[in-house]
Amino acid sequence: MNKFEPDRRSYELPAMVERNVVHYQEPAFGYGRPPEEEEDSLDPLKLIWYVIHYRWLFAASLLAGLVIGVFVTFLQTPLYRATTDVEVITPSAKVIQDLELVSQSADLRAFETAREKMQSRDLARRVVFSLGLAEDAKFLAPAPSFSVMNLFNRIFNYSPTAVLDDLDAETREAMAVGKVLSGLSVDLVRNTSILSVGYSHADPGYAAEVSRQIVRSYIDQNVDKSGETSDLARQFIEEQVRETKAKLQTSEEALVEYAKQAGITLTGNDASLISENISKLNNSLGEALQNRLEAQAYVQQVEDGNAAALPEVFKSDSIQNTKQKIAALKATYQEKLTTLKPGFPEMRRLQSQITELQKQIDAEVAAIATAARIRFAQAEEKVSGLRAEISKLEAQQAEFQDKNIQYTILRREVESNRSQYDSLISKLNEVGVGAELRTTNASIIDLAVRPTAPYSPSLKLNLALSLLIFLTLAAALVYLLELMRNTFTVPDQVESELKIPVLGILPRTPEDALETEMADNKSSLSEAYRSLRTSIQFTGVGDTMHSLLITSPEQSEGKSTTAYKLAHDFAALGKKVLVVDADMRKPRMHRMFNTDNSAGLSNVLSNVLRKGDVRSILHPTHNPNITLLAAGTIPPNPVELLMSQKMAMAVAQMAKSYDIVIIDAPPVLGLADAPVLSRLADATLLVVSSKQVTRKSAKHALERLRSASGNVVGAALSKFAVDKFDYNYAYRYTQYNYYGYDNASVEIEDHGTRASKGDIAGKLARGGSDLIDRFKRRFD
C-alpha cells in the first residue's frame, strides 16, 4: 500500500503529468457490442407477480364484472323453454316407398325434411289458428328481451299489457306467426330418430302450449297429406295396371313371332358354343405367336452368323465333347511346338485332326441352324391356320348376334312388363284397405310440461362472460401500461435488459433526510452502499481494480452521491481513496466535501497550473483517508481535455499513488465524457435509477460505454422504493428494514402496533409475497 502523505503531493502530481505512462484495462467483452443473449422464456411466477402488482386493477375488474353481470341479468327478460320429443317414422307410405328409389341417406333426409316442415310458416299459421294466438295481446306483445324497464318491472312486480285494437287481423296474424317462428327450435337428438321441438317465451304457459301444438299440427298436416296421397296413388296404380297389361300381351306376341322367323331356340346353346370355341382358339393363337417369335429370334441369330451361339449348340453333348478334344489337341500341339517345327509329320497329323474335328462341329451347327429355320416355318404356318379358323368363327358369331340382338331386346321387354304388372297387381290388392296409407309418420314421445324456472338469462353464464371480458380488458390494460412504462422497476429488469449484474440496490431516500441517512452507519442507505462496495470487490477485478468510474445514463440518478458514499466506505477499510470530480460541466463533489473548486482537474490538463500551486488542487477532507481532486475551472472543451494524453497519464499515476481512485463522471447520454473516461478506468459502475431513466436510454448508454472499450462490471439500482409493494417477490428481503439488521427486534416489537393501526393491505401483501417465495423455493 502506497503512503500518500500530504507533504509529498506537491512533488508527485507534476510527475504524474509528465510521465509517459498510460494505463489501459482490457474490456470484459472486447471491442464492439457484447454477444447477444437469448430472451428469457415466459415465467409463470412473473405473471403471478404482475397479478399481485396490479392487484387493485384486477380486483376492480372482478368487482366490475360481477356488478355488470348481475346488472345485465336483471335487464334481460326471463325466458321459459318447453320441449316436446317426437319420433320421426320412415317411410310414410309403403306404396310410395316401393315405387321410389331409396338410397342409404334417405333417413337423414327425412329427418331434415321433418325439421324444416316444423319450422315452416304454413305450420306456424296452423298453430296460430289452433291456439287463437292472433287475438292474444299478451302473446303478441311480450316484454322486451333487454330493457331498463325490465329492472323496474322486476322490482315492482309489474306486468305491462299492450293494446292491439288498432291492428287489423292480417297484421296480428303475421305478428303471431313471427313470434312462433322466432322462439321455435327443432334439433335432432344425436344417433336417434327423435326431434326435440322446443319453444321459448316469457310466459311459461305459452312455452308449453306452443311446443305441444307444433307437434300436433305437424302430425295433422302429415295425416291430411297422406290421405290425399292415398287416393291419388290408388288411381295411379289402376291406370298403370291397365296400360302394363296391354304392353305385356303385345311384347309376348312379338317375341314368339320373331323366334319363329329367325329360327332361334330358347336355350341359346349355339351362341355359347361359338363363343367358347373362339376363346380357346384365341388362347392357342397366343401360344403360337409366342413360339413363332422365339423361332424367329433363333433364325435371325443364324442369319447374323451367330449359329454357334444357339442354345441347342450348348446343349449338344457331341459338340461339347468334340470341343474338348480340339482343346486337348491344341494343347498338345502347343506343347510340342516348343521342340518341333510345324512342318514335322507329327505336327501336321495333329493339325489335320484338329481341322477334321472342327468340320464335324461346323456340320452339327449347320444342322441345328436348319432345324431352327424349319421350326420358324412351322410356327408361321400354325399362326396362319389359327387366324383363318378364328375368322370363320367370328363370321358365324356376327351372324348369330345380328339375330340374337333383336331377340334379346324383345325378351327383356317381356320380362320388364311382366315384373311391373305383377308388382302393380300386388300393390293394388294391398291398397284395398286405406288405413296403411294414412299411418302417421311421427309419434309423440314426451309432451312438453309447463317450465317452473327460466332457462335464460343465466346468471352464471353472464357472470362468467362479464368476468372474462373485464379480466381480458384488465390484462390488455396491464400490457399497455407495461409497454408505456418503460423504466426499471425491479432489479430483474435491469439484468434482463442490460445483461449485466446488479451489484447493489439503493433505497429511495427523501432529499431532506439524505444527509442524515448517509451519516448514520446503521441506516438502510448506509447498509446498501456497504453491500454495493462488497459486490464491487467481488466482481472479479478486485486486486487489479485501482480506478473506478461511476456514471449514469442521465442526470439526477444518484451517481455523485454513490461516488461520495463509496469513497467513505472504501476509506472505512483503511484504503487511501482519491475522489476525482471529472464532471467539468456541472461539478458537485466540492460541495459534498465542502471544499474549494477554484483549481482542479481542468487546470492540470490545460497547463494553467503552476508547480507551486499543485497543493491547492488536492483537498484533504474530513476523512483522513479521502482526498478530493475537484473539477476546477469549467473549461469550454471538457471532452478534448479528457481525451488528451495527460489525462491518461494522470489516471495511471493516481492509480499507482492511491489504493483506489473513484472518478465521478458526467452522464453518458448526450455527452462524450463518460465513454472517454470509461476507457481509462479499470472498472465502470453504471448507476441506474428506478422509475426514472427509460430502458432504451440505459441500453444505449451501456452500448456507448462498451463501444469505447469500457469495462462495465455492473449496475447499481438507485432510488428503489422499498416501502411499496412494487418489486419482484425475489427482492422481498429489501423490506422489513433488511439493511438495518440491528433494528430487527424493533420491527418485531412494533409489528403488533402497526397492524393494529389498520395496515391490513400491507399485511396481506406481505403474506402473499411469503407464499410466493415458498412456492418459488420449492421449484428452485
Side-chain angles (χ1 to χ4, degrees):
M1 181 182 298
N2 294 322
K3 301 296 184 179
F4 194 83
E5 301 297 337
D7 58 345
R8 296 176 56 189
R9 295 173 183 170
S10 60
Y11 298 97
E12 293 186 359
L13 187 58
M16 74 180 181
V17 179
E18 296 175 359
R19 292 175 187 172
N20 189 14
V21 178
V22 183
H23 180 74
Y24 295 99
Q25 174 68 32
E26 184 179 355
F29 296 99
Y31 295 94
R33 301 179 63 178
E36 296 289 339
E37 294 187 13
E38 296 183 357
E39 294 291 336
D40 295 334
S41 58
L42 183 63
D43 187 4
L45 295 180
K46 191 174 183 181
L47 296 179
I48 297 176
W49 174 77
Y50 279 122
V51 173
I52 297 176
H53 179 67
Y54 293 97
R55 60 192 180 278
W56 297 119
L57 176 60
F58 284 104
S61 300
L62 289 174
L63 181 60
L66 292 174
V67 173
I68 295 298
V70 174
F71 185 70
V72 169
T73 302
F74 278 97
L75 292 182
Q76 292 179 285
T77 300
L79 294 179
Y80 297 84
R81 174 182 290 171
T83 303
T84 299
D85 294 333
V86 56
E87 181 182 5
V88 178
I89 304 172
T90 57
S92 60
K94 289 185 178 180
V95 61
I96 303 300
Q97 173 76 18
D98 293 339
L99 289 177
E100 289 182 352
L101 180 61
V102 181
S103 63
Q104 293 181 354
S105 59
D107 289 344
L108 181 59
R109 288 201 301 268
F111 299 146
E112 291 296 330
T113 302
R115 181 173 179 270
E116 293 300 324
K117 284 183 177 181
M118 290 183 184
Q119 293 178 331
S120 63
R121 297 189 64 85
D122 183 59
L123 186 64
R125 192 175 294 108
R126 278 176 172 263
V127 174
V128 170
F129 288 152
S130 300
L131 298 179
L133 300 178
E135 305 299 331
D136 194 339
K138 186 177 180 181
F139 176 81
L140 293 179
S145 59
F146 187 85
S147 175
V148 179
M149 292 302 298
N150 291 335
L151 182 61
F152 174 81
N153 295 336
R154 284 192 177 188
I155 295 176
F156 296 98
N157 195 18
Y158 175 72
S159 299
T161 303
V163 179
L164 303 176
D165 296 338
D166 298 336
L167 301 178
D168 56 7
E170 185 177 354
T171 303
R172 291 197 298 270
E173 178 186 345
M175 291 177 58
V177 170
K179 292 294 182 182
V180 171
L181 293 177
S182 62
L184 179 62
S185 63
V186 182
D187 300 314
L188 176 63
V189 180
R190 186 178 180 87
N191 297 327
T192 66
S193 59
I194 298 176
L195 291 177
S196 179
V197 182
Y199 185 73
S200 302
H201 197 270
D203 191 313
Y206 286 121
E209 290 180 6
V210 174
S211 176
R212 291 192 292 260
Q213 187 59 41
I214 287 173
V215 175
R216 290 167 179 166
S217 299
Y218 171 74
I219 294 176
D220 294 341
Q221 185 184 54
N222 287 334
V223 169
D224 294 342
K225 291 183 178 181
S226 177
E228 297 175 359
T229 303
S230 298
D231 295 337
L232 294 175
R234 186 193 303 255
Q235 298 174 5
F236 172 75
I237 292 174
E238 290 176 351
E239 293 176 1
Q240 291 296 317
V241 166
R242 290 192 294 268
E243 294 178 2
T244 304
K245 182 178 180 181
K247 290 181 181 179
L248 178 61
Q249 292 176 355
T250 304
S251 61
E252 286 178 344
E253 293 174 357
L255 177 63
V256 173
E257 182 65 24
Y258 181 78
K260 291 180 179 180
Q261 294 177 0
I264 298 175
T265 61
L266 298 178
T267 58
N269 293 332
D270 294 338
S272 299
L273 181 60
I274 293 174
S275 299
E276 184 177 356
N277 291 336
I278 290 175
S279 177
K280 291 180 179 180
L281 289 176
N282 281 328
N283 294 334
S284 300
L285 179 60
E287 295 177 359
L289 288 174
Q290 181 66 27
N291 294 333
R292 189 190 68 174
L293 289 176
E294 294 178 358
Q296 185 179 2
Y298 292 156
V299 171
Q300 184 64 37
Q301 186 174 352
V302 172
E303 296 297 333
D304 294 340
N306 297 327
L310 291 173
E312 287 78 359
V313 174
F314 293 100
K315 294 179 181 179
S316 175
D317 295 337
S318 61
I319 293 176
Q320 298 302 322
N321 293 333
T322 304
K323 285 184 177 181
Q324 291 178 359
K325 292 178 181 180
I326 291 174
L329 291 173
K330 285 183 178 181
T332 304
Y333 182 84
Q334 292 295 330
E335 181 180 359
K336 292 183 177 183
L337 187 62
T338 56
T339 57
L340 300 177
K341 294 182 178 181
F344 281 10
E346 186 177 355
M347 298 297 289
R348 286 198 298 270
R349 181 178 58 79
L350 291 173
Q351 186 64 39
S352 62
Q353 291 178 355
I354 293 171
T355 302
E356 183 64 24
L357 292 174
Q358 186 64 43
K359 289 180 179 181
Q360 294 177 7
I361 292 175
D362 294 339
E364 292 184 11
V365 170
I368 293 173
T370 301
R373 291 189 181 94
I374 293 173
R375 284 197 303 272
F376 175 70
Q378 292 175 349
E380 186 70 25
E381 182 179 355
K382 184 176 181 180
V383 169
S384 300
L386 290 173
R387 285 178 174 174
E389 186 65 23
I390 290 174
S391 298
K392 293 179 182 180
L393 291 177
E394 288 178 348
Q396 295 177 6
Q397 179 70 11
E399 182 180 357
F400 176 79
Q401 286 179 349
D402 291 339
K403 296 179 181 180
N404 193 45
I405 288 174
Q406 186 63 28
Y407 177 80
T408 303
I409 292 174
L410 295 174
R411 187 175 61 183
R412 288 180 179 174
E413 185 176 359
V414 171
E415 293 175 354
S416 176
N417 291 332
R418 182 178 291 111
S419 175
Q420 186 176 359
Y421 179 76
D422 294 341
S423 177
L424 290 173
I425 290 298
S426 176
K427 294 304 174 185
L428 186 60
N429 295 330
E430 291 179 1
V431 296
V433 181
E436 185 175 4
L437 289 176
R438 292 180 177 270
T439 302
T440 62
N441 66 339
S443 62
I444 298 176
I445 303 298
D446 190 9
L447 278 175
V449 296
R450 182 185 178 95
T452 58
Y455 82 97
S456 176
S458 175
L459 180 60
K460 294 181 180 179
L461 179 61
N462 290 342
L463 288 177
L465 291 177
S466 180
L467 290 176
L468 178 62
I469 292 173
F470 276 88
L471 287 178
T472 303
L473 293 176
L477 182 59
V478 169
Y479 181 73
L480 292 177
L481 290 176
E482 287 297 317
L483 288 180
M484 295 171 60
R485 192 183 68 175
N486 56 353
T487 59
F488 296 103
T489 306
V490 295
D492 276 351
Q493 295 173 345
V494 178
E495 294 181 349
S496 61
E497 294 288 338
L498 303 184
K499 311 301 181 185
I500 57 176
V502 176
L503 302 180
I505 305 172
L506 309 177
R508 178 185 295 275
T509 304
E511 290 291 338
D512 54 355
L514 181 60
E515 185 175 355
T516 304
E517 290 287 326
M518 294 179 63
D520 186 4
N521 290 331
K522 294 184 178 181
S523 65
S524 60
L525 183 64
S526 298
E527 288 290 346
Y529 275 111
R530 281 194 291 272
S531 177
L532 175 61
R533 177 200 63 189
T534 304
S535 299
I536 294 174
Q537 290 178 313
F538 288 98
T539 54
V541 293
D543 296 336
T544 59
M545 185 183 69
H546 296 287
S547 56
L548 174 64
L549 178 71
I550 300 177
T551 183
S552 61
E554 298 176 354
Q555 61 181 353
S556 302
E557 295 194 59
K559 63 175 183 62
S560 299
T561 304
T562 301
Y564 174 83
K565 188 59 177 173
L566 285 179
H568 286 79
D569 290 336
F570 278 107
L573 299 177
K575 295 180 178 292
K576 294 295 184 180
V577 181
L578 175 64
V579 179
V580 179
D581 191 353
D583 189 354
M584 292 182 285
R585 301 174 187 270
K586 295 181 179 180
R588 282 195 59 198
M589 299 307 297
H590 65 282
R591 296 193 186 96
M592 300 182 71
F593 283 99
N594 196 18
T595 58
D596 185 23
N597 192 37
S598 59
L601 181 62
S602 62
N603 303 95
V604 175
L605 299 179
S606 58
N607 293 326
V608 298
L609 186 68
R610 293 178 299 178
K611 185 175 181 179
D613 297 334
V614 173
R615 184 183 300 274
S616 62
I617 67 172
L618 295 175
H619 301 285
T621 64
H622 56 276
N623 193 318
N625 291 335
I626 300 177
T627 304
L628 172 65
L629 176 58
T633 305
I634 298 178
N637 52 351
V639 178
E640 296 180 2
L641 295 179
L642 296 176
M643 293 180 63
S644 64
Q645 188 177 14
K646 291 182 179 180
M647 183 62 189
M649 292 187 295
V651 173
Q653 183 59 39
M654 286 185 288
K656 289 184 177 181
S657 302
Y658 288 86
D659 294 331
I660 184 169
V661 178
I662 298 178
I663 304 174
D664 180 24
V668 179
L669 297 181
L671 303 173
D673 302 18
V676 172
L677 291 170
S678 66
R679 184 180 179 89
L680 305 177
D682 294 336
T684 300
L685 176 66
L686 186 65
V687 179
V688 180
S689 59
S690 174
K691 298 183 182 181
Q692 178 176 336
V693 65
T694 63
R695 302 179 189 181
K696 185 176 181 181
S697 299
K699 292 177 69 174
H700 183 59
L702 181 62
E703 290 176 358
R704 289 195 63 192
L705 293 175
R706 284 177 171 167
S707 63
S709 302
N711 182 21
V712 182
V713 295
L717 183 61
S718 63
K719 301 182 180 181
F720 188 66
V722 298
D723 56 340
K724 297 180 181 179
F725 194 81
D726 195 16
Y727 53 91
N728 195 293
Y729 49 83
Y731 297 93
R732 183 182 58 86
Y733 58 81
T734 58
Q735 212 172 27
Y736 311 129
N737 289 332
Y738 174 79
Y739 288 117
Y741 178 77
D742 292 340
N743 297 329
S745 59
V746 179
E747 178 72 20
I748 296 174
E749 293 173 359
D750 194 46
H751 178 73
T753 305
R754 289 187 287 107
S756 62
K757 292 180 180 180
D759 192 11
I760 301 177
K763 185 176 180 180
L764 292 176
R766 289 190 294 272
S769 181
D770 290 336
L771 181 61
I772 295 175
D773 276 346
R774 290 194 296 270
F775 181 77
K776 180 177 181 298
R777 286 195 297 270
R778 176 173 296 182
F779 292 96
D780 284 345

